[in-house]
Amino acid sequence: MAQLFSARADLFLRLGLLALVVLPLTMAVSGFAYYRSSYYTGVGAYVQQPVPFSHRHHAGELGIDCRYCHTQVEKAAFAGLPPTETCMTCHSQIWTNAEMLAPIRASLATNTPIRWNRVHDLADYVYFDHSVHVTNGVGCSSCHGDVADMPLMAKAEPLTMGWCLDCHRDPAKNLRPESEIYNTAWEKPADQRRKGRALLAHYGIRKDHLTDCSVCHR
Amino acid sequence: MRQPSDSPPAPALVALLSGGQWPCARAARILALLLCAGLVSACNDMVEQPKLKPYSSAEAFDQNAEARAIPFGTVARDEPERIAALRTPPKVDAALLDRGRAQYEIYCTPCHGLAGRGDGIIVERGFPPPPSYMEPRLRAAPAEHFVDVITNGWGVMYSYAARVEPRDRWAIAAYIRALQLAGAGEMADAGGEAGR
């Protein structure tokens, strides 16, 4: 009787057994890596806008405060996008013929709002509130990065639930004093641990409730 | 309380899970169900819900925008308070001056400069220079004047009524007064220097 299995069958069996272990592992690891990669989270990807507004120029070089345009940030859930009128407060007098600003002038002339493209888009089941963060020691750059150094706006952080929880579980590591909230170049001091604990008490943050589902979801 | 009878298992589910000629059918079907559950969880439909969020699109409304123009003649619920806040100057104290300074440094410094001399960075970049608060005319001007200019604009300055709350306008006016007093101190020093 002829051999049922060729000499190579043994190799295939071994490879097959190896694949049984290696394949699921590779898939799990690569899947995990994919969901954390900027390819999936969009971190660092510049979003094209109808007008190439530069935060680096306005907030960085000119030093205009975030709240000059985002007027609602201390009062409402949404920080607020400036109406065309805000752009024209300065651009009615300077760079009045700039080609780049033609859509702004058209917007004012025709009373049509500019359609900016959203850069930070949270899932609809998340109820994020800007005011509660900026009035409780969380600065702009903790989530938005050093905006004053961004020519075009890009996401600086993944804004995933795990990322949010990382801070909600231990906010002290990111808290800053009132005077530094709008400083986008703020860096943690060496003794952030100690200062953070003091700030936790200063702002009256109740850490034990920060991870309740209803804090972010309804 | 929800009665169990209110929610009988779906007939399809029962049919799927019960019986079968092939011995493994039951296990295979449960596996298939689990796979379906996995697929559904991968859909993440709730990320985009059919609801309106600030600045989202809404085809039903003008310009496909969720934000709608306020109908002519609408009166905001807090309008009387706002009008009252605009008419009545608040008591000037340290808290009001602090508020005034914070608001001034957000909205006014780009043109008027930190010290109120009309030399802000936007002026450096070509915006027509505003007058210095140290001018005799503005030193003599009542606080109402500054509140009025913030509310209605002046010359090439746009109205800041949409950006600065009524009480904050008084706070800024009070801070401008403080800048003027500080400026006067500087001037007196300068005079002393000149007299030497």
Short mmCIF file of all heavy atoms in Angstrom, two decimals, chain B residues 106-173:
data_model
loop_
_atom_site.label_atom_id
_atom_site.label_comp_id
_atom_site.label_asym_id
_atom_site.label_seq_id
_atom_site.Cartn_x
_atom_site.Cartn_y
_atom_site.Cartn_z
N ILE B 106 -9.23 90.25 26.48
CA ILE B 106 -9.70 89.36 25.42
C ILE B 106 -10.12 90.18 24.20
O ILE B 106 -9.66 89.93 23.09
CB ILE B 106 -10.90 88.51 25.88
CG1 ILE B 106 -10.53 87.59 27.04
CG2 ILE B 106 -11.45 87.69 24.71
CD1 ILE B 106 -11.72 86.95 27.72
N TYR B 107 -11.00 91.12 24.41
CA TYR B 107 -11.69 91.77 23.28
C TYR B 107 -11.08 93.09 22.84
O TYR B 107 -11.29 93.50 21.71
CB TYR B 107 -13.17 91.98 23.63
CG TYR B 107 -13.90 90.68 23.88
CD1 TYR B 107 -14.27 90.29 25.15
CD2 TYR B 107 -14.19 89.83 22.80
CE1 TYR B 107 -14.92 89.08 25.37
CE2 TYR B 107 -14.83 88.63 23.02
CZ TYR B 107 -15.20 88.25 24.30
OH TYR B 107 -15.83 87.06 24.52
N CYS B 108 -10.39 93.80 23.72
CA CYS B 108 -9.96 95.16 23.40
C CYS B 108 -8.48 95.28 23.04
O CYS B 108 -8.11 96.06 22.17
CB CYS B 108 -10.28 96.09 24.56
SG CYS B 108 -11.96 95.88 25.20
N THR B 109 -7.63 94.47 23.74
CA THR B 109 -6.18 94.63 23.53
C THR B 109 -5.72 94.47 22.09
O THR B 109 -4.76 95.14 21.71
CB THR B 109 -5.36 93.64 24.39
OG1 THR B 109 -5.99 92.38 24.34
CG2 THR B 109 -5.25 94.11 25.81
N PRO B 110 -6.36 93.61 21.25
CA PRO B 110 -5.83 93.49 19.90
C PRO B 110 -5.65 94.84 19.22
O PRO B 110 -4.67 95.05 18.51
CB PRO B 110 -6.87 92.63 19.18
CG PRO B 110 -7.45 91.77 20.26
CD PRO B 110 -7.49 92.67 21.47
N CYS B 111 -6.57 95.78 19.44
CA CYS B 111 -6.43 97.12 18.84
C CYS B 111 -5.99 98.17 19.85
O CYS B 111 -5.10 98.95 19.59
CB CYS B 111 -7.75 97.56 18.21
SG CYS B 111 -8.15 96.63 16.72
N HIS B 112 -6.63 98.21 21.03
CA HIS B 112 -6.38 99.31 21.97
C HIS B 112 -5.09 99.12 22.76
O HIS B 112 -4.63 100.06 23.40
CB HIS B 112 -7.58 99.49 22.91
CG HIS B 112 -8.80 100.00 22.20
ND1 HIS B 112 -8.98 101.35 21.94
CD2 HIS B 112 -9.87 99.37 21.67
CE1 HIS B 112 -10.13 101.51 21.29
NE2 HIS B 112 -10.69 100.32 21.11
N GLY B 113 -4.52 97.94 22.73
CA GLY B 113 -3.26 97.69 23.44
C GLY B 113 -3.50 97.43 24.91
O GLY B 113 -4.52 97.82 25.46
N LEU B 114 -2.53 96.78 25.54
CA LEU B 114 -2.67 96.39 26.95
C LEU B 114 -2.85 97.61 27.85
O LEU B 114 -3.56 97.56 28.84
CB LEU B 114 -1.44 95.60 27.41
CG LEU B 114 -1.46 94.10 27.10
CD1 LEU B 114 -0.10 93.49 27.37
CD2 LEU B 114 -2.54 93.40 27.92
N ALA B 115 -2.19 98.73 27.51
CA ALA B 115 -2.26 99.90 28.37
C ALA B 115 -3.30 100.90 27.87
O ALA B 115 -3.48 101.95 28.47
CB ALA B 115 -0.89 100.56 28.46
N GLY B 116 -3.98 100.59 26.77
CA GLY B 116 -5.02 101.48 26.28
C GLY B 116 -4.52 102.67 25.49
O GLY B 116 -5.19 103.68 25.38
N ARG B 117 -3.33 102.52 24.90
CA ARG B 117 -2.77 103.64 24.15
C ARG B 117 -3.05 103.54 22.65
O ARG B 117 -2.47 104.27 21.86
CB ARG B 117 -1.27 103.76 24.41
CG ARG B 117 -0.98 104.09 25.86
CD ARG B 117 0.49 104.31 26.13
NE ARG B 117 0.70 104.52 27.56
CZ ARG B 117 0.53 105.69 28.18
NH1 ARG B 117 0.19 106.75 27.49
NH2 ARG B 117 0.71 105.80 29.47
N GLY B 118 -3.90 102.63 22.29
CA GLY B 118 -4.28 102.51 20.88
C GLY B 118 -3.19 101.92 20.02
O GLY B 118 -3.08 102.22 18.84
N ASP B 119 -2.34 101.07 20.63
CA ASP B 119 -1.20 100.53 19.90
C ASP B 119 -1.19 98.99 19.90
O ASP B 119 -0.16 98.37 20.04
CB ASP B 119 0.11 101.05 20.51
CG ASP B 119 0.19 100.75 22.01
OD1 ASP B 119 -0.80 100.19 22.56
OD2 ASP B 119 1.21 101.07 22.63
N GLY B 120 -2.38 98.40 19.79
CA GLY B 120 -2.47 96.94 19.78
C GLY B 120 -1.82 96.33 18.56
O GLY B 120 -1.47 97.03 17.61
N ILE B 121 -1.68 95.02 18.58
CA ILE B 121 -0.94 94.34 17.51
C ILE B 121 -1.66 94.44 16.17
O ILE B 121 -1.04 94.48 15.11
CB ILE B 121 -0.64 92.87 17.89
CG1 ILE B 121 0.39 92.30 16.93
CG2 ILE B 121 -1.92 92.03 17.90
CD1 ILE B 121 1.12 91.11 17.44
N ILE B 122 -3.00 94.51 16.18
CA ILE B 122 -3.75 94.63 14.92
C ILE B 122 -3.50 96.01 14.29
O ILE B 122 -3.47 96.15 13.07
CB ILE B 122 -5.26 94.40 15.17
CG1 ILE B 122 -5.50 93.09 15.90
CG2 ILE B 122 -6.05 94.42 13.87
CD1 ILE B 122 -5.01 91.85 15.19
N VAL B 123 -3.28 97.00 15.16
CA VAL B 123 -2.95 98.35 14.67
C VAL B 123 -1.56 98.31 14.03
O VAL B 123 -1.33 98.89 12.98
CB VAL B 123 -3.02 99.37 15.83
CG1 VAL B 123 -2.51 100.73 15.38
CG2 VAL B 123 -4.44 99.46 16.36
N GLU B 124 -0.65 97.58 14.68
CA GLU B 124 0.70 97.41 14.11
C GLU B 124 0.61 96.78 12.73
O GLU B 124 1.44 97.04 11.87
CB GLU B 124 1.55 96.50 15.00
CG GLU B 124 2.21 97.21 16.16
CD GLU B 124 2.93 96.22 17.06
OE1 GLU B 124 3.43 95.20 16.53
OE2 GLU B 124 2.97 96.46 18.28
N ARG B 125 -0.39 95.93 12.54
CA ARG B 125 -0.53 95.25 11.25
C ARG B 125 -1.38 96.04 10.26
O ARG B 125 -1.81 95.49 9.25
CB ARG B 125 -1.15 93.86 11.45
CG ARG B 125 -0.37 92.95 12.36
CD ARG B 125 0.98 92.63 11.77
NE ARG B 125 1.81 91.90 12.72
CZ ARG B 125 2.07 90.60 12.62
NH1 ARG B 125 1.56 89.90 11.63
NH2 ARG B 125 2.82 90.03 13.51
N GLY B 126 -1.69 97.28 10.56
CA GLY B 126 -2.31 98.13 9.55
C GLY B 126 -3.74 98.58 9.83
O GLY B 126 -4.33 99.27 9.00
N PHE B 127 -4.31 98.19 10.95
CA PHE B 127 -5.66 98.65 11.26
C PHE B 127 -5.58 100.12 11.67
O PHE B 127 -4.66 100.51 12.36
CB PHE B 127 -6.24 97.81 12.42
CG PHE B 127 -7.73 97.86 12.53
CD1 PHE B 127 -8.52 96.93 11.87
CD2 PHE B 127 -8.36 98.84 13.30
CE1 PHE B 127 -9.90 96.97 11.96
CE2 PHE B 127 -9.75 98.89 13.40
CZ PHE B 127 -10.52 97.96 12.73
N PRO B 128 -6.55 100.94 11.22
CA PRO B 128 -6.50 102.36 11.60
C PRO B 128 -6.42 102.51 13.12
O PRO B 128 -7.22 101.91 13.83
CB PRO B 128 -7.84 102.92 11.08
CG PRO B 128 -8.28 101.96 10.03
CD PRO B 128 -7.73 100.62 10.40
N PRO B 129 -5.45 103.27 13.64
CA PRO B 129 -5.26 103.33 15.09
C PRO B 129 -6.42 104.01 15.80
O PRO B 129 -6.87 105.06 15.37
CB PRO B 129 -3.97 104.13 15.26
CG PRO B 129 -3.71 104.77 13.95
CD PRO B 129 -4.45 104.03 12.89
N PRO B 130 -6.91 103.38 16.89
CA PRO B 130 -7.94 104.04 17.69
C PRO B 130 -7.28 105.10 18.57
O PRO B 130 -6.07 105.06 18.76
CB PRO B 130 -8.50 102.89 18.54
CG PRO B 130 -7.37 101.92 18.65
CD PRO B 130 -6.53 102.07 17.42
N PRO B 131 -8.06 106.04 19.10
CA PRO B 131 -7.45 107.06 19.97
C PRO B 131 -6.96 106.42 21.27
O PRO B 131 -7.48 105.40 21.69
CB PRO B 131 -8.60 108.03 20.25
CG PRO B 131 -9.85 107.23 20.01
CD PRO B 131 -9.51 106.23 18.95
N SER B 132 -5.94 107.03 21.86
CA SER B 132 -5.48 106.56 23.17
C SER B 132 -6.50 106.99 24.22
O SER B 132 -7.10 108.05 24.11
CB SER B 132 -4.11 107.19 23.47
OG SER B 132 -3.83 107.08 24.85
N TYR B 133 -6.68 106.13 25.24
CA TYR B 133 -7.62 106.50 26.31
C TYR B 133 -7.07 107.66 27.13
O TYR B 133 -7.77 108.21 27.97
CB TYR B 133 -7.86 105.30 27.25
CG TYR B 133 -8.57 104.15 26.58
CD1 TYR B 133 -8.14 102.84 26.79
CD2 TYR B 133 -9.67 104.36 25.77
CE1 TYR B 133 -8.77 101.78 26.19
CE2 TYR B 133 -10.32 103.30 25.17
CZ TYR B 133 -9.86 102.01 25.38
OH TYR B 133 -10.50 100.96 24.78
N MET B 134 -5.81 108.01 26.90
CA MET B 134 -5.21 109.08 27.68
C MET B 134 -5.59 110.45 27.13
O MET B 134 -5.28 111.47 27.72
CB MET B 134 -3.68 108.93 27.68
CG MET B 134 -3.19 107.55 28.10
SD MET B 134 -3.91 106.97 29.64
CE MET B 134 -3.98 105.21 29.35
N GLU B 135 -6.24 110.47 25.96
CA GLU B 135 -6.67 111.76 25.39
C GLU B 135 -7.61 112.47 26.35
O GLU B 135 -8.46 111.83 26.96
CB GLU B 135 -7.43 111.51 24.08
CG GLU B 135 -6.54 111.37 22.88
CD GLU B 135 -7.35 111.29 21.59
OE1 GLU B 135 -8.57 111.56 21.64
OE2 GLU B 135 -6.76 110.96 20.55
N PRO B 136 -7.48 113.79 26.47
CA PRO B 136 -8.36 114.54 27.38
C PRO B 136 -9.84 114.28 27.10
O PRO B 136 -10.63 114.11 28.03
CB PRO B 136 -8.01 116.00 27.09
CG PRO B 136 -6.63 115.96 26.52
CD PRO B 136 -6.48 114.65 25.81
N ARG B 137 -10.20 114.17 25.82
CA ARG B 137 -11.60 113.93 25.48
C ARG B 137 -12.11 112.64 26.12
O ARG B 137 -13.22 112.61 26.67
CB ARG B 137 -11.74 113.84 23.95
CG ARG B 137 -13.13 113.48 23.46
CD ARG B 137 -13.19 113.47 21.94
NE ARG B 137 -12.44 112.35 21.35
CZ ARG B 137 -12.93 111.14 21.15
NH1 ARG B 137 -14.17 110.87 21.51
NH2 ARG B 137 -12.19 110.19 20.61
N LEU B 138 -11.30 111.59 26.06
CA LEU B 138 -11.73 110.30 26.59
C LEU B 138 -11.58 110.23 28.11
O LEU B 138 -12.30 109.51 28.79
CB LEU B 138 -10.97 109.16 25.92
CG LEU B 138 -11.35 108.97 24.45
CD1 LEU B 138 -10.47 107.91 23.81
CD2 LEU B 138 -12.81 108.59 24.32
N ARG B 139 -10.64 111.00 28.65
CA ARG B 139 -10.54 111.08 30.11
C ARG B 139 -11.80 111.72 30.68
O ARG B 139 -12.27 111.33 31.75
CB ARG B 139 -9.35 111.96 30.51
CG ARG B 139 -8.05 111.24 30.57
CD ARG B 139 -6.98 112.25 30.95
NE ARG B 139 -5.67 111.68 30.77
CZ ARG B 139 -5.10 110.86 31.63
NH1 ARG B 139 -5.74 110.54 32.73
NH2 ARG B 139 -3.91 110.36 31.40
N ALA B 140 -12.33 112.69 29.93
CA ALA B 140 -13.51 113.42 30.40
C ALA B 140 -14.80 112.64 30.13
O ALA B 140 -15.83 112.91 30.74
CB ALA B 140 -13.58 114.79 29.73
N ALA B 141 -14.72 111.68 29.21
CA ALA B 141 -15.94 110.95 28.81
C ALA B 141 -16.48 110.13 29.97
O ALA B 141 -15.72 109.51 30.72
CB ALA B 141 -15.63 110.05 27.63
N PRO B 142 -17.82 110.10 30.13
CA PRO B 142 -18.40 109.27 31.20
C PRO B 142 -18.33 107.79 30.83
O PRO B 142 -18.13 107.44 29.65
CB PRO B 142 -19.86 109.75 31.26
CG PRO B 142 -20.13 110.26 29.87
CD PRO B 142 -18.84 110.82 29.35
N ALA B 143 -18.49 106.93 31.82
CA ALA B 143 -18.44 105.48 31.58
C ALA B 143 -19.46 105.05 30.53
O ALA B 143 -19.21 104.15 29.73
CB ALA B 143 -18.66 104.73 32.88
N GLU B 144 -20.61 105.75 30.51
CA GLU B 144 -21.66 105.43 29.54
C GLU B 144 -21.12 105.48 28.10
O GLU B 144 -21.56 104.72 27.25
CB GLU B 144 -22.84 106.40 29.63
CG GLU B 144 -23.75 106.21 30.82
CD GLU B 144 -23.22 106.91 32.07
OE1 GLU B 144 -22.14 107.53 32.00
OE2 GLU B 144 -23.87 106.79 33.11
N HIS B 145 -20.19 106.40 27.88
CA HIS B 145 -19.64 106.54 26.53
C HIS B 145 -18.97 105.24 26.08
O HIS B 145 -19.22 104.75 24.98
CB HIS B 145 -18.64 107.69 26.47
CG HIS B 145 -17.89 107.76 25.17
ND1 HIS B 145 -18.50 108.14 23.99
CD2 HIS B 145 -16.60 107.44 24.85
CE1 HIS B 145 -17.61 108.07 23.01
NE2 HIS B 145 -16.45 107.65 23.49
N PHE B 146 -18.15 104.66 26.96
CA PHE B 146 -17.43 103.43 26.60
C PHE B 146 -18.41 102.27 26.42
O PHE B 146 -18.29 101.47 25.50
CB PHE B 146 -16.37 103.11 27.66
CG PHE B 146 -15.33 104.18 27.78
CD1 PHE B 146 -15.33 105.04 28.87
CD2 PHE B 146 -14.39 104.35 26.78
CE1 PHE B 146 -14.37 106.05 28.96
CE2 PHE B 146 -13.44 105.36 26.88
CZ PHE B 146 -13.43 106.21 27.98
N VAL B 147 -19.41 102.22 27.30
CA VAL B 147 -20.42 101.17 27.19
C VAL B 147 -21.16 101.32 25.86
O VAL B 147 -21.41 100.33 25.16
CB VAL B 147 -21.41 101.23 28.39
CG1 VAL B 147 -22.56 100.27 28.18
CG2 VAL B 147 -20.68 100.91 29.68
N ASP B 148 -21.46 102.55 25.50
CA ASP B 148 -22.17 102.80 24.24
C ASP B 148 -21.32 102.40 23.04
O ASP B 148 -21.82 101.80 22.09
CB ASP B 148 -22.54 104.28 24.16
CG ASP B 148 -23.25 104.61 22.86
OD1 ASP B 148 -24.35 104.05 22.67
OD2 ASP B 148 -22.71 105.37 22.04
N VAL B 149 -20.02 102.70 23.09
CA VAL B 149 -19.15 102.35 21.97
C VAL B 149 -19.02 100.82 21.84
O VAL B 149 -19.07 100.27 20.75
CB VAL B 149 -17.76 103.01 22.12
CG1 VAL B 149 -16.79 102.45 21.08
CG2 VAL B 149 -17.89 104.52 21.96
N ILE B 150 -18.91 100.13 22.97
CA ILE B 150 -18.82 98.66 22.93
C ILE B 150 -20.13 98.10 22.35
O ILE B 150 -20.12 97.18 21.53
CB ILE B 150 -18.58 98.08 24.35
CG1 ILE B 150 -17.25 98.57 24.92
CG2 ILE B 150 -18.58 96.55 24.30
CD1 ILE B 150 -17.06 98.25 26.40
N THR B 151 -21.25 98.70 22.75
CA THR B 151 -22.55 98.19 22.32
C THR B 151 -22.82 98.48 20.85
O THR B 151 -23.30 97.60 20.12
CB THR B 151 -23.67 98.83 23.17
OG1 THR B 151 -23.34 98.67 24.55
CG2 THR B 151 -25.00 98.18 22.88
N ASN B 152 -22.51 99.69 20.42
CA ASN B 152 -22.91 100.10 19.06
C ASN B 152 -21.76 100.27 18.09
O ASN B 152 -21.98 100.51 16.90
CB ASN B 152 -23.71 101.41 19.13
CG ASN B 152 -24.95 101.23 19.98
OD1 ASN B 152 -25.72 100.31 19.78
ND2 ASN B 152 -25.13 102.11 20.96
N GLY B 153 -20.54 100.18 18.56
CA GLY B 153 -19.40 100.41 17.68
C GLY B 153 -19.16 101.91 17.52
O GLY B 153 -19.94 102.75 17.99
N TRP B 154 -18.06 102.24 16.85
CA TRP B 154 -17.68 103.65 16.68
C TRP B 154 -16.69 103.72 15.53
O TRP B 154 -15.67 103.04 15.57
CB TRP B 154 -17.05 104.19 17.97
CG TRP B 154 -16.60 105.62 17.89
CD1 TRP B 154 -15.43 106.07 17.37
CD2 TRP B 154 -17.31 106.76 18.36
NE1 TRP B 154 -15.36 107.43 17.48
CE2 TRP B 154 -16.50 107.89 18.09
CE3 TRP B 154 -18.56 106.96 18.97
CZ2 TRP B 154 -16.90 109.19 18.40
CZ3 TRP B 154 -18.93 108.26 19.30
CH2 TRP B 154 -18.11 109.36 19.01
N GLY B 155 -16.98 104.51 14.52
CA GLY B 155 -16.06 104.61 13.38
C GLY B 155 -15.85 103.24 12.75
O GLY B 155 -16.82 102.57 12.39
N VAL B 156 -14.58 102.80 12.66
CA VAL B 156 -14.31 101.50 12.03
C VAL B 156 -14.45 100.35 13.03
O VAL B 156 -14.29 99.19 12.66
CB VAL B 156 -12.90 101.45 11.38
CG1 VAL B 156 -12.82 102.42 10.23
CG2 VAL B 156 -11.82 101.71 12.42
N MET B 157 -14.73 100.68 14.30
CA MET B 157 -14.89 99.61 15.31
C MET B 157 -16.30 99.05 15.21
O MET B 157 -17.28 99.78 15.28
CB MET B 157 -14.63 100.17 16.71
CG MET B 157 -14.90 99.18 17.81
SD MET B 157 -14.56 99.88 19.45
CE MET B 157 -15.59 98.83 20.46
N TYR B 158 -16.35 97.71 15.07
CA TYR B 158 -17.65 97.04 15.00
C TYR B 158 -18.30 97.02 16.38
O TYR B 158 -17.63 97.20 17.40
CB TYR B 158 -17.46 95.59 14.53
CG TYR B 158 -17.45 95.40 13.03
CD1 TYR B 158 -17.02 96.41 12.17
CD2 TYR B 158 -17.85 94.19 12.47
CE1 TYR B 158 -17.00 96.21 10.80
CE2 TYR B 158 -17.83 93.99 11.10
CZ TYR B 158 -17.39 95.00 10.27
OH TYR B 158 -17.38 94.80 8.92
N SER B 159 -19.59 96.73 16.38
CA SER B 159 -20.29 96.53 17.64
C SER B 159 -19.80 95.24 18.30
O SER B 159 -19.56 94.24 17.62
CB SER B 159 -21.79 96.42 17.38
OG SER B 159 -22.42 95.74 18.45
N TYR B 160 -19.64 95.28 19.61
CA TYR B 160 -19.26 94.06 20.35
C TYR B 160 -20.43 93.53 21.18
O TYR B 160 -20.25 92.73 22.09
CB TYR B 160 -18.03 94.33 21.24
CG TYR B 160 -16.74 94.22 20.45
CD1 TYR B 160 -16.41 95.18 19.50
CD2 TYR B 160 -15.89 93.14 20.62
CE1 TYR B 160 -15.26 95.08 18.75
CE2 TYR B 160 -14.73 93.03 19.86
CZ TYR B 160 -14.42 94.00 18.94
OH TYR B 160 -13.28 93.88 18.19
N ALA B 161 -21.63 93.99 20.82
CA ALA B 161 -22.82 93.62 21.60
C ALA B 161 -23.03 92.10 21.61
O ALA B 161 -23.50 91.54 22.59
CB ALA B 161 -24.04 94.31 21.04
N ALA B 162 -22.66 91.44 20.51
CA ALA B 162 -22.87 89.99 20.44
C ALA B 162 -21.78 89.23 21.19
O ALA B 162 -21.90 88.04 21.42
CB ALA B 162 -22.90 89.54 18.99
N ARG B 163 -20.70 89.92 21.55
CA ARG B 163 -19.56 89.23 22.15
C ARG B 163 -19.40 89.55 23.63
O ARG B 163 -18.93 88.72 24.39
CB ARG B 163 -18.27 89.61 21.40
CG ARG B 163 -18.19 88.95 20.04
CD ARG B 163 -17.04 89.51 19.21
NE ARG B 163 -17.56 90.44 18.20
CZ ARG B 163 -16.82 91.00 17.26
NH1 ARG B 163 -15.53 90.76 17.23
NH2 ARG B 163 -17.35 91.81 16.37
N VAL B 164 -19.75 90.78 24.02
CA VAL B 164 -19.52 91.20 25.40
C VAL B 164 -20.87 91.42 26.09
O VAL B 164 -21.69 92.20 25.61
CB VAL B 164 -18.66 92.48 25.45
CG1 VAL B 164 -18.36 92.86 26.89
CG2 VAL B 164 -17.37 92.29 24.67
N GLU B 165 -21.07 90.74 27.20
CA GLU B 165 -22.33 90.85 27.96
C GLU B 165 -22.48 92.26 28.55
O GLU B 165 -21.47 92.90 28.86
CB GLU B 165 -22.35 89.83 29.11
CG GLU B 165 -22.33 88.39 28.65
CD GLU B 165 -23.61 87.97 27.95
OE1 GLU B 165 -24.68 88.49 28.31
OE2 GLU B 165 -23.53 87.12 27.04
N PRO B 166 -23.73 92.73 28.72
CA PRO B 166 -23.95 94.09 29.23
C PRO B 166 -23.14 94.42 30.49
O PRO B 166 -22.46 95.44 30.56
CB PRO B 166 -25.44 94.14 29.52
CG PRO B 166 -26.04 93.18 28.54
CD PRO B 166 -25.01 92.10 28.38
N ARG B 167 -23.17 93.51 31.47
CA ARG B 167 -22.45 93.82 32.71
C ARG B 167 -20.95 93.90 32.45
O ARG B 167 -20.25 94.73 33.05
CB ARG B 167 -22.75 92.74 33.76
CG ARG B 167 -22.29 93.13 35.14
CD ARG B 167 -22.73 92.13 36.20
NE ARG B 167 -22.34 92.57 37.54
CZ ARG B 167 -21.14 92.39 38.05
NH1 ARG B 167 -20.20 91.78 37.33
NH2 ARG B 167 -20.85 92.82 39.26
N ASP B 168 -20.46 93.05 31.55
CA ASP B 168 -19.04 93.07 31.23
C ASP B 168 -18.63 94.37 30.55
O ASP B 168 -17.48 94.80 30.66
CB ASP B 168 -18.67 91.87 30.34
CG ASP B 168 -18.79 90.56 31.10
OD1 ASP B 168 -18.78 90.60 32.34
OD2 ASP B 168 -18.90 89.50 30.45
N ARG B 169 -19.59 95.00 29.83
CA ARG B 169 -19.26 96.28 29.18
C ARG B 169 -18.98 97.33 30.24
O ARG B 169 -18.05 98.13 30.11
CB ARG B 169 -20.43 96.72 28.28
CG ARG B 169 -20.64 95.77 27.12
CD ARG B 169 -21.88 96.11 26.31
NE ARG B 169 -22.48 94.88 25.79
CZ ARG B 169 -23.69 94.79 25.28
NH1 ARG B 169 -24.46 95.85 25.17
NH2 ARG B 169 -24.14 93.63 24.83
N TRP B 170 -19.78 97.33 31.31
CA TRP B 170 -19.52 98.26 32.42
C TRP B 170 -18.20 97.92 33.08
O TRP B 170 -17.45 98.82 33.49
CB TRP B 170 -20.65 98.18 33.46
CG TRP B 170 -21.92 98.81 32.99
CD1 TRP B 170 -23.06 98.19 32.59
CD2 TRP B 170 -22.18 100.22 32.87
NE1 TRP B 170 -24.01 99.11 32.22
CE2 TRP B 170 -23.50 100.37 32.39
CE3 TRP B 170 -21.42 101.37 33.11
CZ2 TRP B 170 -24.08 101.61 32.15
CZ3 TRP B 170 -22.00 102.61 32.87
CH2 TRP B 170 -23.31 102.73 32.40
N ALA B 171 -17.91 96.63 33.19
CA ALA B 171 -16.66 96.21 33.82
C ALA B 171 -15.48 96.72 33.00
O ALA B 171 -14.48 97.22 33.55
CB ALA B 171 -16.62 94.69 33.95
N ILE B 172 -15.59 96.61 31.68
CA ILE B 172 -14.51 97.09 30.80
C ILE B 172 -14.38 98.61 30.94
O ILE B 172 -13.26 99.14 31.04
CB ILE B 172 -14.78 96.69 29.33
CG1 ILE B 172 -14.61 95.17 29.17
CG2 ILE B 172 -13.86 97.44 28.38
CD1 ILE B 172 -14.99 94.64 27.79
N ALA B 173 -15.51 99.31 30.98
CA ALA B 173 -15.48 100.78 31.14
C ALA B 173 -14.76 101.14 32.42
O ALA B 173 -13.93 102.08 32.44
CB ALA B 173 -16.89 101.33 31.13
#
